[in-house]
Amino acid sequence: MTMNDHKETIFISGIDTDAGKSYATGWLACQMAAQGRRVATMKFIQTGCDGRSEDIDHGGTIAIIIAVLLYSLFTTRRSPIWTFDRLVIPVALVAGLIRIGNLINSEIFGTATTLPWGFMFLRSRQWHEMYYGQACHPTQLYEALCYFILFALLMWMYWRKNAEQRPGLLFGVFLIGIFLPRFIIEFIKNDQTAFEADMALNMGQLLSIPFVIAGIVLVIWSLCRPKVEIAFPDRYADEPSDGKRRR
């Protein structure tokens, strides 16, 4: 790449809050690409720029696990499982919302389909190049539906079944509920990178397998251990009479 190429390339990034970054950067990159400008983004998505996104979800999961381990070691001084069992409930909801954002941004969709709910992703360069005139699987909706169901299940387990009495159960169900649907839905997704074309299982599927196994192990481990007694089953904790929060 020459110095002139550097001057003509616009780099678009954003704070990674998982709350609209892909949509905002995608929209801006689309507008600039439509004007004939060269655009690069921090997270490469189907915005009219060359190249396809790498699979970063699994790396983000590993980063969260490391952060929780450090947080538990130096701050809460509780078992990391205690934190994970509570953290994963809203994370399941966020995962579903992220996939809705992917749908809005016309990215990470599936192969062609004749099913009546197929989508035509008119704003996607990839769709125009590979599937113009054909409907494709809205795999973003498939995943979002799975994650919303998982969120409802985890909420029910926590509030109605006192699942926190079995440390690791919620975390294990979460790992299975996130990565098993991901593994299955990948069969009808487009390859994210060129080297996956000759693979029986793509990179996303290979990276999902250890998480599914870990989830199964956690569920079995939690069910084989005696229940942990909790102070306030099936209801909120009582407010202290002096108005001060108890630790």
Side-chain angles (χ1 to χ4, degrees):
M1 185 178 288
T2 66
M3 182 62 69
N4 288 334
D5 290 332
H6 281 291
K7 290 181 179 179
E8 295 173 355
T9 300
I10 300 174
F11 179 78
I12 303 176
S13 182
I15 299 173
D16 195 355
T17 60
D18 283 337
K21 179 186 66 123
S22 294
Y23 182 78
T25 57
W27 178 86
L28 185 57
C30 268
Q31 304 306 308
M32 293 187 173
Q35 297 173 7
R37 302 182 183 182
R38 296 183 58 182
V39 184
T41 61
M42 176 182 288
K43 175 185 175 185
F44 289 103
I45 49 182
Q46 311 315 321
T47 59
C49 305
D50 294 333
R52 294 185 173 89
S53 60
E54 295 287 347
D55 194 313
I56 66 170
D57 295 347
H58 302 83
T61 301
I62 294 172
I64 291 173
I65 291 174
I66 294 173
V68 169
L69 290 174
L70 295 174
Y71 176 74
S72 300
L73 178 64
F74 295 107
T75 304
T76 66
R77 301 191 183 278
R78 291 177 178 261
S79 167
I81 295 297
W82 183 91
T83 305
F84 281 124
D85 280 341
R86 288 151 179 81
L87 179 65
V88 296
I89 300 174
V91 169
L93 174 61
V94 171
L97 295 175
I98 290 173
R99 285 297 176 249
I100 296 298
N102 294 143
L103 176 67
I104 294 172
N105 204 36
S106 299
E107 59 185 355
I108 318 181
F109 53 87
T111 55
T113 180
T114 57
L115 293 172
W117 55 79
F119 276 47
M120 292 189 179
F121 296 93
L122 302 178
R123 296 168 50 208
S124 167
R125 172 180 287 186
Q126 182 186 18
W127 180 83
H128 281 276
E129 293 175 350
M130 299 176 61
Y131 302 111
Y132 183 77
Q134 303 179 74
C136 294
H137 283 286
T139 51
Q140 314 96 322
L141 285 182
Y142 300 164
E143 287 192 61
L145 180 60
C146 291
Y147 300 158
F148 290 145
I149 292 173
L150 175 63
F151 169 69
L153 174 63
L154 293 173
M155 287 286 286
W156 176 76
M157 291 175 63
Y158 185 84
W159 291 108
R160 296 298 184 184
K161 294 299 179 181
N162 296 322
E164 69 270 31
Q165 289 182 306
R166 294 192 178 277
L169 180 58
L170 289 167
F171 186 30
V173 170
F174 169 83
L175 290 177
I176 297 171
I178 286 287
F179 291 103
L180 183 57
R182 173 72 180 273
F183 179 88
I184 296 171
I185 294 172
E186 286 289 333
F187 283 111
I188 56 173
K189 276 188 182 180
N190 296 296
D191 293 332
Q192 296 292 299
T193 52
F195 72 84
E196 294 178 334
D198 298 326
M199 298 172 64
L201 299 177
N202 65 32
M203 187 58 65
Q205 290 173 309
L206 293 176
L207 293 174
S208 293
I209 292 173
F211 289 105
V212 174
I213 294 174
I216 294 172
V217 170
L218 273 172
V219 170
I220 295 174
W221 175 78
S222 65
L223 294 176
C224 290
R225 293 169 58 85
K227 290 184 178 181
V228 176
E229 293 299 322
I230 56 177
F232 301 96
D234 295 325
R235 62 191 178 92
Y236 292 107
D238 296 329
E239 289 293 332
S241 59
D242 59 5
K244 297 181 179 180
R245 186 179 296 276
R246 305 297 188 200
R247 293 184 63 85

